[in-house]
Amino acid sequence: MDEFLYLSLPPMVIASLAAIACVLPGNFLLLSRRAMLGDAMSHVVLPGIVVAFLLTGSGSGVVMGAGALAAAGLSAVMIEWVTRRAGIEPGAAMAVVFTTMFALGVVLLETTGTSGVHLDVEHALYGNLESLIWLGSAPPELLRLTLIAAGLAIALRLVWRPLVLATFDPVFAQTQGVPVAWLRAGLTAATALAAVAAFQAVGSILTIAMLICPAATARLLTRTLPAQLAVSLGFAIASALLGYVLAGYAPLWIGLPFTLSASGMIATVSGLMLAAAALIASQRARAAL
């Protein structure tokens, strides 16, 4: 029991909190057809990390996280600016911004002599979820993700009505005086905050999956937005818990002498849930014909 409380429970809770933080903005990204914004955020953090190292000379997680968050926030502003100024689709604006910033990060990395700095690609992709155990004190990611998930939930509750209106009918929302542009920018900023906060703990693969898969799964199975939000939260938590257990114990159950990446398995479980929901939705559609 003690082993579970100290070694397994903290990463399971952290994975669930990361999933919750990503699902809250993810539902509205999906409905506003900006579901790939999380993928964009995974590209734009590189220049922030490089600049943070150049300014401080430190490679600590706090410094790197601050640089990544600053870059993500800048990208959010740039995406909204390009969308309004150029009059193009948000998806095209995201492509322009995140490819430009990623290229800038690569150039900075190669021209400033920081390419020799050890940047752990494995942890950037898959996170270090298994190492977030309780050793004398709670992992810092636990408190960080708790605060961010709670903050996003409170913010969503405060702007629920105007955000829903702006998401489903932005033209009508503007005629009613709803600040659609500010709400879009706020949603982008919330996505950046959730994504960057989750990167260090669970990696970019799981972050992108949690931004999209639970919301898309719930969208296929529900008819109202409150139901979609509730069901997506349930799927996100279920995939986090089930994926972690399968990663650690499924290989042992079949006699294999190793474990799997927890973040990778959670993303896989989330994808399988989406596939199952798609099959159920298609069967319903056929039955209705």
Side-chain angles (χ1 to χ4, degrees), residues 123-217:
H123 282 178
L125 291 175
Y126 302 111
N128 58 342
L129 189 57
E130 294 87 347
S131 67
L132 302 180
I133 59 179
W134 193 294
L135 292 176
S137 61
E141 290 83 0
L142 180 60
L143 177 59
R144 185 185 310 131
L145 285 169
T146 298
L147 293 175
I148 289 174
L152 290 175
I154 294 172
L156 179 61
R157 180 65 183 91
L158 293 175
V159 300
W160 175 264
R161 290 182 180 274
L163 181 59
V164 170
L165 186 58
T167 299
F168 285 101
D169 196 341
V171 176
F172 177 72
Q174 285 184 324
T175 64
Q176 299 300 307
V178 175
V180 175
W182 283 104
L183 287 172
R184 288 174 60 89
L187 179 60
T188 304
T191 304
L193 180 63
V196 171
F199 278 157
Q200 187 176 3
V202 300
S204 61
I205 290 177
L206 180 55
T207 300
I208 295 170
M210 288 297 103
L211 281 166
I212 300 172
C213 289
T217 303

Side-chain angles (χ1 to χ4, degrees), residues 11-225:
M12 293 173 72
V13 173
I14 289 171
S16 300
L17 289 171
I20 292 171
C22 291
V23 161
L24 292 175
N27 277 277
F28 292 92
L29 291 177
L30 179 72
L31 293 172
S32 59
R33 299 183 179 181
R34 295 195 296 162
M36 294 309 295
L37 184 61
D39 186 38
M41 293 302 170
S42 69
H43 286 76
V44 303
V45 298
L46 180 59
I49 290 174
V50 176
V51 171
F53 177 80
L54 290 174
L55 292 176
T56 64
S58 172
S60 69
V62 175
V63 172
M64 295 301 184
L69 183 58
L74 177 61
S75 72
V77 175
M78 291 177 63
I79 289 170
E80 295 302 323
W81 182 81
V82 171
T83 301
R84 292 198 301 269
R85 294 286 294 182
I88 61 178
E89 291 292 325
M94 281 188 282
V96 170
V97 171
F98 77 64
T99 52
T100 300
M101 293 190 68
F102 184 73
L104 176 62
V106 173
V107 171
L108 287 173
L109 196 64
E110 295 298 327
T111 59
T112 58
T114 56
S115 58
V117 178
H118 177 64
L119 297 176
D120 196 329
V121 177
E122 181 180 354
H123 282 178
L125 291 175
Y126 302 111
N128 58 342
L129 189 57
E130 294 87 347
S131 67
L132 302 180
I133 59 179
W134 193 294
L135 292 176
S137 61
E141 290 83 0
L142 180 60
L143 177 59
R144 185 185 310 131
L145 285 169
T146 298
L147 293 175
I148 289 174
L152 290 175
I154 294 172
L156 179 61
R157 180 65 183 91
L158 293 175
V159 300
W160 175 264
R161 290 182 180 274
L163 181 59
V164 170
L165 186 58
T167 299
F168 285 101
D169 196 341
V171 176
F172 177 72
Q174 285 184 324
T175 64
Q176 299 300 307
V178 175
V180 175
W182 283 104
L183 287 172
R184 288 174 60 89
L187 179 60
T188 304
T191 304
L193 180 63
V196 171
F199 278 157
Q200 187 176 3
V202 300
S204 61
I205 290 177
L206 180 55
T207 300
I208 295 170
M210 288 297 103
L211 281 166
I212 300 172
C213 289
T217 303
R219 181 77 179 110
L220 291 169
L221 301 176
T222 58
R223 296 181 180 274
T224 65
L225 180 56

Side-chain angles (χ1 to χ4, degrees), residues 219-243:
R219 181 77 179 110
L220 291 169
L221 301 176
T222 58
R223 296 181 180 274
T224 65
L225 180 56
Q228 176 184 322
L229 186 60
V231 171
S232 66
L233 287 170
F235 278 127
I237 296 172
S239 62
L241 300 178
L242 180 60

